[in-house]
Amino acid sequence: MSAEPHNLDSWRDLPAAQQPDWPDRAELDKVVAELAGLPPLVFAGECDQLKSELAAVARGEAFVLQGGDCAETFAGATADAVRNKLKTLLQMAIVLTYAGRVPIVKIGRMAGQFAKPRSKPTEVRDGVELPAYRGDMVNGFEFTPEARTPDPWRLLRAYHSAAVTLNLCRAFTKGGYADLRQVHAWNQDFVAGSPAGQRYERLAREIDQALAFMRACGADPEEFHTVEFYSSHEALILDYDRALTRIDSRTGQPYDVSAHMVWIGERTRQLDGAHVEFFSRIRNPIGVKLGPSSTPEDALALIEKLNPANEPGRLTFITRMGASKIRDALPILVEKVTASGAQVAWVCDPMHGNTFEAPSGHKTRRLDDVLDEVAGFFEVHHALGTHPGGIHIEFTGDDVTECVGGGHPVVEDDLALRYETACDPRLNRGQSLDLAFRVAELYRSS
Ligand code: PEP
Ligand code: CO
């Protein structure tokens, strides 16, 4: 695969963290060749449109809502599951738009989020050691040697799963389901009885009245009937994202057309590593996760490498500090980056710094910690006069019991009831709405 003049393979000479140990390189090459011939999942022009919306975020004129599963699964690409996630995202977005009075850029952690970095390469159960589950794109969740052996043909299934998911999302958001006249319809299931659901219903009634007023005035803009929805994932498995990188016929520039936005995770953001190198070559809007050990020098070096032209909307820093650290760790980063003149969007991931193990052994998060990290994020930006640009969360549209707390509280003893995640614990529908109301309040008062 020759990539001159864009040097899309320069990353191959560098250390790439968190890559699977594929048992058969020749099989991988076959899959990659097949992927390279498949149609794009998104168009470069759409990536540019998202970039311009993220530029508005960096200028303080819009707010990002990015979220979805920690790890999507192939089995989870069903009409119901996709619709429920999208519905949750739409409900959260409407709360933020209406109560927060800010345009929302809606980005799913959907249609491609099939690969996971792991803290350990293997997992031991009852004395048996097998490769860790790295997401459906790589191996199976089941704890057997067959399932856990990385299988490159899964890259192809990931592409097809992403395609059906994105197709549904496009149909839902453009085909009438996201019409503002549907604000009540998104709330008609188990969530309707919860405190957050009832609060939402009151807000939806106000929106109805506002819409009736607008229509009576003769205003019925297209924006009320369809929604712009973007896809994103952590571009972890470089062979996959490289195979789906194409030269845009309009501009002659390379885009990773597997998603509108891709991000680099906390574990793969080494400055001299393969991921940063690959990302420096593509023109999508990109994100980089920054954990509590990130230094201003790290942030500035990432900016220099990933956005040397200071193109607005190109680079989003997604901070994931933890509720107890954000107020100490974030200010110096924001201060130094702002002082450098770099234009970045700042987004808060209040999930990944707040994970702990419950006595039952379940990995979980407290909604209160999540809310506290978001509050800290707003406080820091308020104090510095910078813009809190959005949130990045892990949620699902179903009534799972993976995180504790909420207006309809899940307690630690409930965790086993409906613990379904393939990786990290996700907020359920009610908890996601609770969060949206809280963020809207914080936004309005910031
Ligand atoms: C994730 O987003 O699921 C993840 C692994 O995050 P991080 O890279 O911030 O640890
Ligand atoms: Co996660």
Side-chain angles (χ1 to χ4, degrees), residues 174-219:
K174 298 291 178 195
Y177 187 75
D179 193 303
L180 272 183
R181 284 169 296 194
Q182 301 287 330
V183 280
H184 293 283
W186 306 333
N187 202 41
Q188 274 167 10
D189 49 21
F190 64 88
V191 79
S194 70
Q198 287 169 8
R199 192 169 173 193
Y200 175 87
E201 202 53 39
R202 289 194 292 277
L203 180 139
R205 278 199 294 271
E206 285 180 37
I207 292 175
D208 272 348
Q209 287 167 6
L211 286 179
F213 169 74
M214 299 274 292
R215 270 197 301 275
C217 295

Short mmCIF file of all heavy atoms in Angstrom, two decimals, residues 174-219:
data_model
loop_
_atom_site.label_atom_id
_atom_site.label_comp_id
_atom_site.label_asym_id
_atom_site.label_seq_id
_atom_site.Cartn_x
_atom_site.Cartn_y
_atom_site.Cartn_z
N LYS A 174 -32.29 11.88 10.01
CA LYS A 174 -32.73 12.64 8.82
C LYS A 174 -34.15 12.27 8.39
O LYS A 174 -34.75 12.96 7.57
CB LYS A 174 -31.78 12.39 7.64
CG LYS A 174 -30.36 12.83 7.88
CD LYS A 174 -30.23 14.34 7.94
CE LYS A 174 -28.80 14.76 8.22
NZ LYS A 174 -28.66 16.15 8.64
N GLY A 175 -34.66 11.16 8.91
CA GLY A 175 -35.92 10.63 8.38
C GLY A 175 -37.15 10.93 9.22
O GLY A 175 -38.15 10.23 9.09
N GLY A 176 -37.07 11.90 10.11
CA GLY A 176 -38.28 12.29 10.84
C GLY A 176 -38.25 11.98 12.32
O GLY A 176 -38.91 12.62 13.12
N TYR A 177 -37.43 10.99 12.72
CA TYR A 177 -37.42 10.60 14.13
C TYR A 177 -36.86 11.70 15.03
O TYR A 177 -37.26 11.84 16.18
CB TYR A 177 -36.58 9.32 14.28
CG TYR A 177 -36.64 8.72 15.66
CD1 TYR A 177 -37.76 8.02 16.09
CD2 TYR A 177 -35.55 8.84 16.52
CE1 TYR A 177 -37.81 7.46 17.35
CE2 TYR A 177 -35.60 8.27 17.79
CZ TYR A 177 -36.72 7.59 18.20
OH TYR A 177 -36.77 7.04 19.45
N ALA A 178 -35.92 12.49 14.49
CA ALA A 178 -35.29 13.53 15.30
C ALA A 178 -36.03 14.87 15.19
O ALA A 178 -35.59 15.88 15.71
CB ALA A 178 -33.83 13.72 14.86
N ASP A 179 -37.20 14.84 14.51
CA ASP A 179 -38.01 16.05 14.39
C ASP A 179 -38.39 16.55 15.79
O ASP A 179 -38.76 15.76 16.65
CB ASP A 179 -39.28 15.69 13.59
CG ASP A 179 -40.04 16.93 13.14
OD1 ASP A 179 -40.41 17.74 14.01
OD2 ASP A 179 -40.26 17.07 11.92
N LEU A 180 -38.30 17.82 15.98
CA LEU A 180 -38.58 18.37 17.32
C LEU A 180 -40.00 18.08 17.79
O LEU A 180 -40.29 18.10 18.97
CB LEU A 180 -38.34 19.89 17.33
CG LEU A 180 -36.92 20.33 17.67
CD1 LEU A 180 -36.85 21.84 17.72
CD2 LEU A 180 -36.46 19.75 19.00
N ARG A 181 -40.90 17.78 16.82
CA ARG A 181 -42.26 17.42 17.24
C ARG A 181 -42.29 16.05 17.92
O ARG A 181 -43.30 15.64 18.46
CB ARG A 181 -43.21 17.44 16.03
CG ARG A 181 -43.56 18.86 15.62
CD ARG A 181 -44.27 18.91 14.29
NE ARG A 181 -43.38 18.43 13.23
CZ ARG A 181 -43.62 18.61 11.93
NH1 ARG A 181 -44.70 19.20 11.53
NH2 ARG A 181 -42.78 18.15 11.04
N GLN A 182 -41.13 15.36 17.89
CA GLN A 182 -41.04 14.03 18.53
C GLN A 182 -40.50 14.10 19.96
O GLN A 182 -40.24 13.06 20.56
CB GLN A 182 -40.09 13.13 17.71
CG GLN A 182 -40.49 12.91 16.28
CD GLN A 182 -41.68 11.99 16.16
OE1 GLN A 182 -41.87 11.10 16.99
NE2 GLN A 182 -42.51 12.21 15.17
N VAL A 183 -40.31 15.31 20.50
CA VAL A 183 -39.65 15.39 21.82
C VAL A 183 -40.34 14.54 22.88
O VAL A 183 -39.69 14.00 23.77
CB VAL A 183 -39.51 16.83 22.37
CG1 VAL A 183 -38.34 17.55 21.75
CG2 VAL A 183 -40.80 17.61 22.25
N HIS A 184 -41.67 14.39 22.78
CA HIS A 184 -42.37 13.55 23.76
C HIS A 184 -42.16 12.07 23.47
O HIS A 184 -41.99 11.27 24.38
CB HIS A 184 -43.88 13.84 23.75
CG HIS A 184 -44.22 15.20 24.24
ND1 HIS A 184 -44.22 15.52 25.58
CD2 HIS A 184 -44.53 16.34 23.58
CE1 HIS A 184 -44.54 16.80 25.71
NE2 HIS A 184 -44.72 17.32 24.52
N ALA A 185 -42.13 11.75 22.18
CA ALA A 185 -42.01 10.34 21.79
C ALA A 185 -40.70 9.73 22.31
O ALA A 185 -40.64 8.55 22.62
CB ALA A 185 -42.08 10.22 20.28
N TRP A 186 -39.64 10.55 22.43
CA TRP A 186 -38.36 10.00 22.90
C TRP A 186 -38.43 9.61 24.38
O TRP A 186 -37.53 8.99 24.90
CB TRP A 186 -37.22 11.02 22.73
CG TRP A 186 -37.09 11.56 21.35
CD1 TRP A 186 -37.45 10.95 20.17
CD2 TRP A 186 -36.55 12.83 20.97
NE1 TRP A 186 -37.19 11.75 19.11
CE2 TRP A 186 -36.62 12.93 19.57
CE3 TRP A 186 -36.00 13.90 21.68
CZ2 TRP A 186 -36.17 14.04 18.88
CZ3 TRP A 186 -35.56 15.01 20.99
CH2 TRP A 186 -35.65 15.07 19.60
N ASN A 187 -39.49 10.02 25.04
CA ASN A 187 -39.56 9.86 26.49
C ASN A 187 -40.59 8.81 26.91
O ASN A 187 -40.91 8.70 28.07
CB ASN A 187 -39.91 11.22 27.11
CG ASN A 187 -39.52 11.34 28.56
OD1 ASN A 187 -38.45 10.90 28.95
ND2 ASN A 187 -40.37 11.93 29.38
N GLN A 188 -41.11 8.04 25.90
CA GLN A 188 -42.24 7.17 26.25
C GLN A 188 -41.84 5.74 26.56
O GLN A 188 -42.17 4.83 25.85
CB GLN A 188 -43.22 7.14 25.08
CG GLN A 188 -44.20 8.28 25.12
CD GLN A 188 -44.93 8.39 23.81
OE1 GLN A 188 -44.82 7.51 22.97
NE2 GLN A 188 -45.65 9.48 23.62
N ASP A 189 -41.06 5.52 27.59
CA ASP A 189 -40.82 4.14 28.00
C ASP A 189 -40.44 4.17 29.47
O ASP A 189 -40.88 5.06 30.19
CB ASP A 189 -39.76 3.46 27.12
CG ASP A 189 -38.53 4.32 26.96
OD1 ASP A 189 -38.31 5.20 27.80
OD2 ASP A 189 -37.77 4.11 26.01
N PHE A 190 -39.61 3.25 29.90
CA PHE A 190 -39.32 3.14 31.33
C PHE A 190 -38.83 4.46 31.94
O PHE A 190 -39.05 4.73 33.10
CB PHE A 190 -38.27 2.04 31.57
CG PHE A 190 -36.93 2.33 30.94
CD1 PHE A 190 -35.98 3.06 31.63
CD2 PHE A 190 -36.64 1.91 29.65
CE1 PHE A 190 -34.76 3.36 31.05
CE2 PHE A 190 -35.42 2.20 29.07
CZ PHE A 190 -34.48 2.92 29.78
N VAL A 191 -38.22 5.32 31.11
CA VAL A 191 -37.64 6.55 31.67
C VAL A 191 -38.74 7.55 32.07
O VAL A 191 -38.55 8.38 32.95
CB VAL A 191 -36.62 7.19 30.71
CG1 VAL A 191 -37.31 7.97 29.61
CG2 VAL A 191 -35.64 8.06 31.45
N ALA A 192 -39.91 7.43 31.44
CA ALA A 192 -40.97 8.42 31.66
C ALA A 192 -41.36 8.52 33.13
O ALA A 192 -41.69 9.60 33.63
CB ALA A 192 -42.19 8.07 30.81
N GLY A 193 -41.28 7.40 33.87
CA GLY A 193 -41.70 7.41 35.27
C GLY A 193 -40.63 7.90 36.23
O GLY A 193 -40.90 8.17 37.40
N SER A 194 -39.39 8.03 35.75
CA SER A 194 -38.30 8.42 36.66
C SER A 194 -38.34 9.93 36.90
O SER A 194 -38.94 10.67 36.12
CB SER A 194 -36.95 8.04 36.03
OG SER A 194 -36.70 8.87 34.92
N PRO A 195 -37.72 10.40 37.98
CA PRO A 195 -37.70 11.85 38.22
C PRO A 195 -37.12 12.63 37.03
O PRO A 195 -37.67 13.66 36.63
CB PRO A 195 -36.80 11.99 39.45
CG PRO A 195 -36.85 10.66 40.13
CD PRO A 195 -37.06 9.64 39.05
N ALA A 196 -36.06 12.09 36.43
CA ALA A 196 -35.46 12.80 35.28
C ALA A 196 -36.44 12.80 34.10
O ALA A 196 -36.55 13.80 33.39
CB ALA A 196 -34.15 12.13 34.88
N GLY A 197 -37.15 11.69 33.92
CA GLY A 197 -38.12 11.59 32.83
C GLY A 197 -39.25 12.58 33.01
O GLY A 197 -39.72 13.20 32.05
N GLN A 198 -39.68 12.76 34.25
CA GLN A 198 -40.77 13.70 34.49
C GLN A 198 -40.31 15.15 34.29
O GLN A 198 -41.03 15.98 33.75
CB GLN A 198 -41.33 13.48 35.90
CG GLN A 198 -42.15 12.20 35.95
CD GLN A 198 -42.52 11.77 37.36
OE1 GLN A 198 -42.29 12.50 38.31
NE2 GLN A 198 -43.07 10.58 37.47
N ARG A 199 -39.08 15.39 34.73
CA ARG A 199 -38.53 16.73 34.53
C ARG A 199 -38.41 17.02 33.03
O ARG A 199 -38.71 18.11 32.55
CB ARG A 199 -37.15 16.78 35.21
CG ARG A 199 -36.60 18.15 35.33
CD ARG A 199 -35.38 18.15 36.22
NE ARG A 199 -34.73 19.44 36.21
CZ ARG A 199 -33.52 19.68 36.70
NH1 ARG A 199 -32.83 18.70 37.25
NH2 ARG A 199 -33.00 20.88 36.63
N TYR A 200 -37.99 15.99 32.31
CA TYR A 200 -37.87 16.11 30.86
C TYR A 200 -39.23 16.40 30.23
O TYR A 200 -39.34 17.23 29.32
CB TYR A 200 -37.28 14.82 30.27
CG TYR A 200 -37.25 14.81 28.77
CD1 TYR A 200 -36.16 15.36 28.08
CD2 TYR A 200 -38.30 14.32 28.02
CE1 TYR A 200 -36.14 15.39 26.70
CE2 TYR A 200 -38.30 14.35 26.64
CZ TYR A 200 -37.21 14.89 25.99
OH TYR A 200 -37.20 14.92 24.62
N GLU A 201 -40.27 15.71 30.71
CA GLU A 201 -41.61 15.87 30.14
C GLU A 201 -42.08 17.33 30.29
O GLU A 201 -42.68 17.89 29.37
CB GLU A 201 -42.56 14.91 30.86
CG GLU A 201 -43.82 14.57 30.09
CD GLU A 201 -43.59 14.06 28.67
OE1 GLU A 201 -42.64 13.30 28.45
OE2 GLU A 201 -44.36 14.46 27.78
N ARG A 202 -41.76 17.93 31.42
CA ARG A 202 -42.16 19.35 31.61
C ARG A 202 -41.45 20.24 30.59
O ARG A 202 -42.04 21.15 30.00
CB ARG A 202 -41.83 19.80 33.05
CG ARG A 202 -42.75 19.17 34.11
CD ARG A 202 -42.63 19.89 35.45
NE ARG A 202 -41.33 19.71 36.11
CZ ARG A 202 -41.01 18.63 36.85
NH1 ARG A 202 -41.88 17.66 37.03
NH2 ARG A 202 -39.82 18.55 37.43
N LEU A 203 -40.16 19.93 30.41
CA LEU A 203 -39.38 20.72 29.44
C LEU A 203 -39.94 20.52 28.02
O LEU A 203 -40.07 21.47 27.24
CB LEU A 203 -37.92 20.27 29.54
CG LEU A 203 -36.88 20.91 28.66
CD1 LEU A 203 -35.61 21.15 29.47
CD2 LEU A 203 -36.54 20.01 27.50
N ALA A 204 -40.31 19.26 27.71
CA ALA A 204 -40.84 18.96 26.37
C ALA A 204 -42.15 19.73 26.14
O ALA A 204 -42.41 20.20 25.02
CB ALA A 204 -41.06 17.46 26.21
N ARG A 205 -42.96 19.88 27.18
CA ARG A 205 -44.22 20.65 27.02
C ARG A 205 -43.92 22.11 26.71
O ARG A 205 -44.57 22.73 25.88
CB ARG A 205 -45.07 20.53 28.29
CG ARG A 205 -45.90 19.23 28.31
CD ARG A 205 -47.07 19.33 29.29
NE ARG A 205 -46.63 19.44 30.67
CZ ARG A 205 -46.41 18.38 31.47
NH1 ARG A 205 -46.59 17.16 31.03
NH2 ARG A 205 -46.00 18.55 32.71
N GLU A 206 -42.90 22.64 27.36
CA GLU A 206 -42.52 24.04 27.06
C GLU A 206 -42.04 24.16 25.62
O GLU A 206 -42.34 25.14 24.92
CB GLU A 206 -41.39 24.51 28.00
CG GLU A 206 -41.86 24.80 29.41
CD GLU A 206 -40.70 25.26 30.29
OE1 GLU A 206 -39.81 25.98 29.78
OE2 GLU A 206 -40.69 24.89 31.47
N ILE A 207 -41.29 23.16 25.17
CA ILE A 207 -40.80 23.20 23.79
C ILE A 207 -41.98 23.16 22.82
O ILE A 207 -42.02 23.92 21.85
CB ILE A 207 -39.80 22.05 23.52
CG1 ILE A 207 -38.53 22.29 24.31
CG2 ILE A 207 -39.50 21.90 22.03
CD1 ILE A 207 -37.51 21.18 24.25
N ASP A 208 -42.97 22.32 23.12
CA ASP A 208 -44.17 22.26 22.29
C ASP A 208 -44.81 23.64 22.13
O ASP A 208 -45.19 24.04 21.04
CB ASP A 208 -45.23 21.36 22.96
CG ASP A 208 -45.05 19.92 22.56
OD1 ASP A 208 -44.28 19.67 21.61
OD2 ASP A 208 -45.68 19.06 23.19
N GLN A 209 -44.90 24.31 23.26
CA GLN A 209 -45.55 25.63 23.23
C GLN A 209 -44.72 26.61 22.40
O GLN A 209 -45.26 27.37 21.60
CB GLN A 209 -45.72 26.17 24.65
CG GLN A 209 -46.83 25.44 25.39
CD GLN A 209 -46.82 25.72 26.88
OE1 GLN A 209 -46.05 26.56 27.36
NE2 GLN A 209 -47.67 25.03 27.62
N ALA A 210 -43.39 26.54 22.59
CA ALA A 210 -42.52 27.43 21.83
C ALA A 210 -42.65 27.15 20.33
O ALA A 210 -42.69 28.06 19.50
CB ALA A 210 -41.08 27.28 22.29
N LEU A 211 -42.73 25.84 19.98
CA LEU A 211 -42.84 25.47 18.56
C LEU A 211 -44.18 25.94 17.98
O LEU A 211 -44.23 26.44 16.85
CB LEU A 211 -42.75 23.94 18.41
CG LEU A 211 -41.38 23.30 18.58
CD1 LEU A 211 -41.50 21.78 18.42
CD2 LEU A 211 -40.38 23.84 17.58
N ALA A 212 -45.25 25.79 18.77
CA ALA A 212 -46.57 26.22 18.30
C ALA A 212 -46.54 27.72 18.04
O ALA A 212 -47.08 28.22 17.04
CB ALA A 212 -47.63 25.87 19.34
N PHE A 213 -45.88 28.45 18.92
CA PHE A 213 -45.75 29.90 18.76
C PHE A 213 -44.97 30.23 17.49
O PHE A 213 -45.39 31.06 16.68
CB PHE A 213 -45.06 30.48 20.01
CG PHE A 213 -44.64 31.90 19.86
CD1 PHE A 213 -45.58 32.94 19.88
CD2 PHE A 213 -43.30 32.24 19.68
CE1 PHE A 213 -45.20 34.26 19.75
CE2 PHE A 213 -42.90 33.56 19.54
CZ PHE A 213 -43.85 34.58 19.58
N MET A 214 -43.84 29.53 17.31
CA MET A 214 -43.01 29.79 16.12
C MET A 214 -43.79 29.51 14.84
O MET A 214 -43.73 30.27 13.87
CB MET A 214 -41.76 28.87 16.13
CG MET A 214 -40.84 29.06 17.30
SD MET A 214 -39.64 30.36 17.05
CE MET A 214 -38.63 29.65 15.77
N ARG A 215 -44.53 28.39 14.84
CA ARG A 215 -45.29 28.04 13.63
C ARG A 215 -46.37 29.08 13.35
O ARG A 215 -46.59 29.47 12.22
CB ARG A 215 -45.92 26.65 13.78
CG ARG A 215 -45.01 25.54 13.27
CD ARG A 215 -45.78 24.24 13.04
NE ARG A 215 -46.43 23.78 14.24
CZ ARG A 215 -45.84 23.04 15.18
NH1 ARG A 215 -44.58 22.70 15.04
NH2 ARG A 215 -46.50 22.68 16.25
N ALA A 216 -47.00 29.54 14.44
CA ALA A 216 -48.03 30.57 14.27
C ALA A 216 -47.42 31.83 13.68
O ALA A 216 -48.07 32.58 12.95
CB ALA A 216 -48.70 30.86 15.62
N CYS A 217 -46.15 32.06 13.98
CA CYS A 217 -45.46 33.23 13.41
C CYS A 217 -44.99 32.96 11.99
O CYS A 217 -44.39 33.83 11.34
CB CYS A 217 -44.22 33.58 14.24
SG CYS A 217 -44.59 34.12 15.89
N GLY A 218 -45.16 31.73 11.51
CA GLY A 218 -44.73 31.41 10.16
C GLY A 218 -43.31 30.87 10.06
O GLY A 218 -42.78 30.73 8.97
N ALA A 219 -42.68 30.57 11.21
CA ALA A 219 -41.30 30.06 11.18
C ALA A 219 -41.30 28.55 11.41
O ALA A 219 -41.86 28.07 12.39
CB ALA A 219 -40.48 30.75 12.28
#
